Structure formats: C-alpha cells, structure tokens
Amino acid sequence: MNDLLAALLLGIIEGITEFLPISSTGHLLIAERWLGHRSDLFNVAIQAGAILAVVLIYRRRLLGLLAAFAGRDMTAPYDPLGIDISPKLAREYGFKLLVAFGVTAVGGLAVKALGWELPDTVRPIAWALIIGAVWMVIAEQLAARRAARDGERTAISWTTAILVGVAQVVAGVFPGTSRSAATIFVALLAGTTSRSAATEFAFLVGIPTMFAATGYELLSMARHGGLHGEDWSALGVAFVASAITAFVAVKWLLRYIETHRFTAFAVYRLLLGIALLLWVPSGG
C-alpha cells in the first residue's frame, strides 16, 4: 500500500478511537499488522493531532477557566454544560483538574521507574477490551440508579478528581483499557451521575496529561536520536488526519451521550475482544 495512504488511514483510526471509549492502542495495533509498524515519533505525532482537536473543541471552556483565575465571572457560553458558575467555583474546578493531572504524573513516573507495563500484544489487549466492556455496563447501571435516586449531579468532587488521576495511570499500564473509558466511568461511579459532566472532566484532564506524555516521549527520542530518518510527509498527513477525525468524533460523542448510554461501545468492545482472542492463535 502507498505509504501516504497507510499514514492517512492510521491517522484516521487514531482520531476516531483516541477519545471514544474503545481503546486507540488496540485498534492501532491491529491496523499496523496490515499497514505496517510505525516509529514512536509517528505514534506520538498522531496522538498530538487528537489532543489538538480536543483543545479546539474546549477552547471556550479553557478560556473561561483562565478568566476565572483572573477573578472574572465565567458565563454559561464558556461552559459546555451551559451552567453559570462563579469564579470561585471555576477556580476550584481548575484545581481539581490539576490534582487529577498531578496524581497521573506522579503515578506515571512511578510506573515507568518500576517498569510496570504490559506488552502491546493482542491477547492482553483483547482481555482488557472484554473486561472494560463489562466494567462499563456495571458502572453505568450503578450511575443510573444513583441518578434516579439522587438526581443528576454535574459536580466533580475532590475524591473524583483523585480517582480519575489514578484511572489514567491504570489505563497506561494496561493497553486496551482506554484512557477515556477508565476516567469517564470512574467519575460516574464516584458520584458524578451526569454523563456529559463526567466526559467533560475526563477529556479536559486528558489535555495536560497527553501533552505531557507527548512532550516526554519527544524529549526521550531526541536524546536517543529517534528524530532522524522520519518520513515527515507521511507524519504530516497522519497528524492532520488525526486532528480532523478526532474533532468530528468528539463532537459526535458529546451529542450522542446527551440522549444515549455507553452500552453500544461496551458491546463493540466485547465483540472486538472476543474476535481478537479467536484470531490470536492463527494471527500471532
């Protein structure tokens, strides 16, 4: 296959799967078996494209948080949920994002130092997809019962922020878990019964987390000469494709969850995980 076309397809796959709760790692692993393995720099670049898309989608929210830290009111148009909140509450929300990111950063560095990471091979990813599917169904059922009993809750507690940070670390250790799935459903289980609010927090905390991870990988590659010999044309095509498709995918997801549960994603993960387990013996 033409290299630019292969890069385009990989960028599209990354953009679609990075923020949907279905695991980008698992899908890219499968795709690379037909489209060819790519460099670490390539994988970092397409992830950066997906991050850029989320920054663009939440740009008003991010500007609103900056305004709140400057003491200005954060009006509803700057909040995707359409809720007017005071600068004090907005600053508190921002600090919770920082706490979640801090937990992830400390935990991620500890995991790196200890070498706790499963291999990016098909079988563990398949099991992570299956276990994650069951976890998603259970978590959403529990959240629905709590919402019926206590009403819809959009607030993010300090406990939720800490648990979301831990969930990101766990997702990094177990490829196939899906960072977005882990963080969204931890938030739902921890008391934020609103799917939109849980998803928003998960995506916003993913911005500094993924930027930091991308920067870390780039510095590591630069130190070890990993930036040389790259096909920059293919990388550029994949970056743009990832950014555009991630933008479309996230916008669609935010509308979808307003009226739908995550059940369809759980079913998809379950079927994909089973298919991979059946495929492993012959596919390696």
Side-chain angles (χ1 to χ4, degrees):
M1 180 181 291
N2 179 278
D3 195 54
L4 286 179
L5 177 58
L8 174 66
L9 292 175
L10 288 170
I12 291 172
I13 292 169
E14 165 65 21
I16 293 172
T17 61
E18 180 60 54
F19 289 97
L20 299 186
I22 54 176
S23 174
S24 61
T25 302
H27 285 79
L28 286 173
L29 176 70
I30 299 165
E32 285 184 347
R33 288 176 172 266
W34 285 278
L35 301 177
H37 181 73
R38 298 289 160 158
S39 68
D40 290 339
L41 177 60
F42 181 93
N43 292 330
V44 166
I46 60 176
Q47 185 181 64
I51 305 168
L52 177 61
V54 174
V55 171
L56 292 175
I57 289 170
Y58 283 103
R59 63 191 182 280
R60 292 180 66 82
R61 175 61 143 156
L62 296 172
L63 288 172
L65 288 173
L66 291 175
F69 276 98
R72 294 171 53 195
D73 283 336
M74 183 178 174
T75 56
Y78 285 85
D79 186 341
L81 299 180
I83 302 170
D84 278 307
I85 57 177
S86 67
K88 179 183 177 182
L89 290 176
R91 284 194 296 271
E92 185 176 290
Y93 188 94
F95 281 125
K96 287 171 183 174
L97 287 171
L98 291 175
V99 165
F101 169 68
V103 170
T104 300
V106 172
L109 290 173
V111 163
K112 283 277 188 182
L114 295 171
W116 291 352
E117 186 174 8
L118 292 179
D120 286 345
T121 53
V122 171
R123 189 168 290 274
I125 287 175
W127 280 112
L129 286 166
I130 293 170
I131 294 170
V134 176
W135 150 264
M136 286 168 65
V137 172
I138 294 173
E140 192 155 37
Q141 288 292 333
L142 293 174
R145 291 178 187 175
R146 179 175 292 168
R149 185 182 66 244
D150 303 330
E152 187 175 76
R153 295 182 178 181
T154 60
I156 301 292
S157 68
W158 289 103
T159 300
T160 299
I162 293 170
L163 291 176
V164 165
V166 173
Q168 291 198 122
V169 177
V170 172
V173 174
F174 297 97
T177 301
S178 171
R179 190 202 64 82
S180 60
T183 51
I184 290 169
F185 287 95
V186 159
L188 288 173
L189 283 175
T192 304
T193 59
S194 165
R195 289 189 298 272
S196 296
T199 302
E200 176 195 325
F201 189 82
F203 284 2
L204 286 175
V205 78
I207 293 173
T209 300
M210 294 171 69
F211 268 135
T214 299
Y216 179 90
E217 292 295 336
L218 283 174
L219 289 174
S220 178
M221 285 185 284
R223 285 199 302 268
H224 297 91
L227 301 181
H228 302 296
E230 187 66 40
D231 184 344
W232 295 101
S233 296
L235 188 148
V237 166
F239 175 88
V240 173
S242 174
I244 293 173
T245 51
F247 187 91
V248 174
V250 172
K251 293 285 280 189
W252 172 82
L253 179 66
L254 294 175
R255 288 195 301 270
Y256 177 85
I257 61 175
E258 290 178 358
T259 54
H260 297 79
R261 293 189 177 185
F262 288 96
T263 308
F265 297 107
V267 172
Y268 174 80
R269 288 177 62 114
L270 181 64
L271 294 176
L272 179 60
I274 292 172
L276 289 177
L277 288 177
L278 295 174
W279 173 58
V280 166
S282 59

